[in-house]
C-alpha cells in the first residue's frame, strides 16, 4: 500500500508540477534543454516549459501579445533593457558570451575552396546563397548585418554589405533578393535548410555551429563580436531595428556579444505565479553547474555574472 501511495504521489507531482515558463533565444535551445533536465532533477516540484524564438520576438510576446512567461533569456542583454525594463522586469543578469562565424556543409558551393581569407569573395559569387535570421526579431540577424559591415571596414571593401544584402540601414520583411539571400525568424530555423542544401552559407553563432557539427569559417576578432578588446572598433558599424512602437527604430551598434536573463514581472499583475521557481531557475543558470553546461556547449560565461538593476528578488530564495 505504501509503495502504491508513493507511486501515486510521483504521478501527481509530474502531472501537476508547478510550471515555469521560460522564453529564450533559439541559440540557447541545446544548453537550456540540458539545464532543464538537471534543474528538474534537483527541484522535482517544478516543470520547466521552454519556448524558443528570436530574442526580440520573445520580448514582443511578453509586451505586445501579453503571453505569460516567468523567465526570459536573451542572446543580447540589451533586448531586455530596451524592451522589458522597467515595466516587465527590474534586473538583467549578464551571464554568457558567444561569437559570430559563417557555417556551411560539405555540400555548400565552393565548400572545398572557402577559407578565412576568401570567404567574402565566395559569398558574392553568382549562384551562392546566404542565410541570416530576421534582424527585427533576432539579435543574430542584426549581428549578421553588423559583421558584414565591419568586414567591409576591416578589409577596406566598403561595397561588400551592399553587394551581399543591399538593405540600407534597416531590413523590411521580404525585401531580400531571394535568389541570393534566405531569411527566417530565428537563426536555428535556418539549420535544417542549410543541412538540406537550400542555401550555402549561414551567419550564425559559433556555439550553434559546434552543437550541430557544422563546418564553419572563424572570423577575425575585429569583426566577430566576440572580443571585448575590440569594442570600440565594433561600434563603427550599426543597424536599425524596429522599436517599441510602430514606425520607430532602435539603432543597434556593434558590441561584444553578451547574453542576459531575468525574471519577468508585470507591474499590473505582479510577479509570476511561481516566483520562487523562476528565481531558482535563473540562479541555477547562473550557478557553476549552469555555467559548466554553457561552456560544454561552446559558449563563454561571465564569471561571476554581472547583475544590473534591482536584484533583490534573487536574494529572497
Amino acid at each position: 500500500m505504501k509503495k502504491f501511495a508513493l507511486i501515486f504521489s510521483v504521478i501527481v507531482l509530474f502531472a501537476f508540477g508547478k510550471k515555469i515558463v521560460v522564453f529564450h533565444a533559439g541559440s540557447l535551445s541545446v544548453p537550456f534543454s540540458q539545464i532543464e533536465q538537471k534543474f528538474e532533477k534537483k527541484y522535482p516540484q517544478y516543470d520547466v516549459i521552454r519556448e524558443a524564438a528570436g530574442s526580440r520576438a520573445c520580448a514582443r510576446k511578453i509586451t505586445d501579445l501579453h503571453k505569460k512567461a516567468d523567465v526570459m533569456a536573451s542572446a543580447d542583454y540589451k533586448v531586455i533593457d530596451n524592451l522589458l525594463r522597467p515595466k516587465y522586469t527590474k534586473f538583467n543578469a549578464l551571464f554568457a558570451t558567444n561569437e559570430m562565424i559563417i557555417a556551411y556543409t560539405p555540400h555548400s558551393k565552393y565548400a572545398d575552396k572557402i577559407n578565412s581569407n576568401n570567404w567574402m569573395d565566395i559569398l558574392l559569387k553568382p549562384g551562392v546563397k546566404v542565410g541570416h535570421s530576421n534582424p527585427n526579431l533576432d539579435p543574430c540577424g542584426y549581428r549578421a548585418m553588423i559583421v558584414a559591415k565591419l568586414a567591409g571596414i576591416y578589409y577596406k571593401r566598403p561595397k561588400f554589405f551592399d553587394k551581399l544584402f543591399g538593405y540600407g540601414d534597416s531590413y523590411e520583411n521580404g525585401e531580400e533578393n531571394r535568389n541570393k539571400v534566405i531569411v527566417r525568424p530565428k537563426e536555428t530555423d535556418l539549420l535544417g535548410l542549410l543541412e538540406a542544401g537550400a542555401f550555402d552559407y549561414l551567419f550564425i553563432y559559433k556555439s550553434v555551429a559546434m552543437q550541430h557539427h557544422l563546418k564553419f569559417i572563424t572570423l577575425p576578432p575585429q569583426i566577430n563580436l566576440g572580443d571585448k578588446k575590440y569594442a570600440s572598433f565594433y561600434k563603427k558599424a550599426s543597424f536599425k531595428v524596429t522599436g517599441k512602437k510602430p514606425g520607430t527604430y532602435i539603432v543597434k551598434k556593434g558590441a561584444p556579444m553578451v547574453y542576459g536573463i531575468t525574471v519577468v514581472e508585470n507591474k499590473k499583475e505582479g510577479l509570476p505565479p511561481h516566483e520562487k521557481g523562476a528565481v531558482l531557475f535563473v540562479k541555477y543558470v547562473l550557478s557553476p553547474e549552469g555555467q559548466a553546461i554553457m561552456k560544454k556547449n561552446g559558449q563563454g560565461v561571465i564569471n561571476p555574472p554581472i547583475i544590473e538593476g534591482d536584484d533583490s528578488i534573487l536574494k529572497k530564495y
Side-chain angles (χ1 to χ4, degrees), residues 18 46 52 71 103 116 140 151 200 211 224 233 246 248 258 262 292 316:
K18 297 176 181 178
Y46 295 110
V71 174
S116 59
C140 194
D200 304 293
Q211 292 159 16
N224 69 12
F233 187 78
T248 64
V258 176
T262 192
K316 289 176 65 175

Side-chain angles (χ1 to χ4, degrees), residues 8-77:
F8 180 76
S9 298
V10 170
I11 292 173
V12 169
L13 178 62
F14 279 94
F16 302 100
K18 297 176 181 178
K19 290 179 171 54
I20 305 170
V21 178
V22 179
F23 288 177
H24 63 80
S27 60
L28 290 170
S29 294
V30 172
F32 269 32
S33 173
Q34 297 170 15
I35 284 174
E36 174 188 349
Q37 294 175 23
K38 297 285 188 180
F39 176 83
E40 289 180 345
K41 186 175 181 180
K42 184 173 183 178
Y43 302 104
Q45 68 269 38
Y46 295 110
D47 178 18
V48 176
I49 307 297
R50 295 182 300 104
E51 192 170 316
S55 297
R56 286 174 57 82
C58 286
R60 295 289 191 197
K61 284 190 285 188
I62 295 167
T63 61
D64 299 353
L65 302 180
H66 306 292
K67 285 196 169 186
K68 303 295 183 185
D70 301 305
V71 174
M72 158 79 178
S74 171
D76 183 351
Y77 78 98

Side-chain angles (χ1 to χ4, degrees), residues 39-289:
F39 176 83
E40 289 180 345
K41 186 175 181 180
K42 184 173 183 178
Y43 302 104
Q45 68 269 38
Y46 295 110
D47 178 18
V48 176
I49 307 297
R50 295 182 300 104
E51 192 170 316
S55 297
R56 286 174 57 82
C58 286
R60 295 289 191 197
K61 284 190 285 188
I62 295 167
T63 61
D64 299 353
L65 302 180
H66 306 292
K67 285 196 169 186
K68 303 295 183 185
D70 301 305
V71 174
M72 158 79 178
S74 171
D76 183 351
Y77 78 98
K78 291 181 181 177
V79 170
I80 294 173
D81 288 343
N82 291 339
L83 300 180
L84 297 183
R85 291 177 68 190
K87 184 176 180 180
Y88 296 92
T89 186
K90 290 188 174 71
F91 76 93
N92 194 356
L94 285 53
F95 73 103
T97 63
N98 217 325
E99 68 180 74
M100 293 293 290
I101 52 85
I102 297 170
Y104 63 103
T105 74
H107 307 293
S108 299
K109 292 183 180 69
Y110 306 103
D112 59 336
K113 293 183 173 61
I114 194 167
N115 57 50
S116 59
N117 295 317
N118 67 9
W119 65 271
M120 296 172 76
D121 295 317
I122 296 293
L123 265 54
L124 291 177
K125 281 185 176 293
V128 171
K129 292 188 73 172
V130 179
H132 69 79
S133 58
N134 188 324
N136 295 315
L137 300 176
D138 184 28
C140 194
Y142 57 73
R143 284 168 171 158
M145 303 300 103
I146 289 170
V147 164
K149 288 188 173 189
L150 286 172
I153 297 170
Y154 181 68
Y155 291 107
K156 296 181 171 55
R157 297 177 61 174
K159 303 251 184 213
F160 175 70
F161 176 83
D162 292 336
K163 288 180 179 179
L164 185 62
F165 298 124
Y167 298 147
D169 294 330
S170 63
Y171 167 79
E172 291 185 12
N173 291 341
E175 76 166 296
E176 66 273 11
N177 174 4
R178 296 185 182 181
N179 293 321
K180 184 67 178 177
V181 181
I182 183 168
V183 181
R184 290 294 184 271
K186 64 180 183 292
E187 79 282 354
T188 49
D189 292 337
L190 292 153
L191 293 171
L193 294 172
L194 176 65
E195 292 167 343
F199 66 101
D200 304 293
Y201 296 96
L202 174 61
F203 284 83
I204 200 167
Y205 301 134
K206 182 178 179 180
S207 66
V208 178
M210 291 174 64
Q211 292 159 16
H212 292 270
H213 310 292
L214 294 170
K215 292 178 173 292
F216 60 88
I217 298 296
T218 300
L219 302 173
Q222 290 88 344
I223 69 174
N224 69 12
L225 305 180
D227 192 332
K228 62 183 180 181
K229 289 190 298 185
Y230 296 100
S232 60
F233 187 78
Y234 296 158
K235 290 179 183 177
K236 292 179 181 289
S238 63
F239 198 72
K240 293 196 300 186
V241 297
T242 51
K244 287 185 178 181
K245 297 179 181 179
T248 64
Y249 290 90
I250 297 170
V251 177
K252 305 299 293 187
K253 291 185 177 181
M257 285 195 209
V258 176
Y259 284 58
I261 188 169
T262 192
V263 173
V264 179
E265 175 183 351
N266 188 317
K267 283 185 177 179
K268 292 182 179 179
E269 300 178 8
L271 290 166
H274 301 307
E275 172 191 332
K276 182 177 179 179
V279 171
L280 290 176
F281 183 84
V282 169
K283 291 177 79 169
Y284 189 85
V285 171
L286 303 180
S287 72
E289 294 92 336

